[in-house]
Amino acid sequence: MEQNELYPIFLKLHNLNVLIVGGGNVGLEKLSFLLKSSPNANVEVVAKEFHLEIKVLAENHPSITLTKSKFKKKMLKKRHMVIACTDDLKVNKKVYDLARKRYLICNIADTPDLCDYYLGGIVTKGNVKIAISTNGKSPTTAKRLREFFEEVIPEDINQMVENLNEYRKTLKGNFEDKVKKMNEITASLKK
């Protein structure tokens, strides 16, 4: 049976520099997705033309920069992460090849073979965030799972997280003792 070998991480996009190449519908989708989870993400969107909603997002998020231009190799300088979503496969492949030479992680929209990462489904309830991946096989399944988790995870889960964080600060003893006590308290979550 095939296994999902992706390694999930949670990036602090306000500390990183992201480049999105493409200003159309898919660029809008990618930018919206990033901003939903990371409203202060540092993102530059490069395109010859921008979808109207991308312009609106940029107006409402000061950390977004729009650059009206065709993609140039120098735009990859001082980047951590790249997304290419133009309607020109040659441009997308060029972005990928140049990003790989610079050891940048890159996502080429709708081209799994040219992706170092996927943008999966995300559920956020306060400080609790769950990422969902189908290994790029079925975005629709990830969407349905996201909807399921959004429905079943209580809205007040964040209060529990805050309360446990405050309690954790009061615990004495070594690391092992603290872990044991926190495990005892949170065991009821499995029921």
Side-chain angles (χ1 to χ4, degrees), residues 11-18 38 40-42 78 80:
L11 300 171
K12 297 178 179 180
L13 293 184
H14 60 279
N15 289 336
L16 302 177
N17 292 315
V18 180
S38 303
N40 296 309
N42 289 313
K78 298 183 180 178
H80 298 99

Side-chain angles (χ1 to χ4, degrees), residues 4-53:
N4 184 334
E5 295 186 10
L6 298 173
Y7 186 78
I9 60 172
F10 293 91
L11 300 171
K12 297 178 179 180
L13 293 184
H14 60 279
N15 289 336
L16 302 177
N17 292 315
V18 180
L19 177 68
I20 297 178
V21 181
N25 287 325
V26 180
L28 171 63
E29 178 187 314
K30 301 295 184 182
L31 180 61
S32 298
F33 187 82
L34 290 177
L35 293 175
K36 182 178 179 190
S37 278
S38 303
N40 296 309
N42 289 313
V43 182
E44 180 177 1
V45 183
V46 173
K48 294 179 206 169
E49 298 293 327
F50 297 101
H51 191 290
L52 177 61
E53 290 182 49

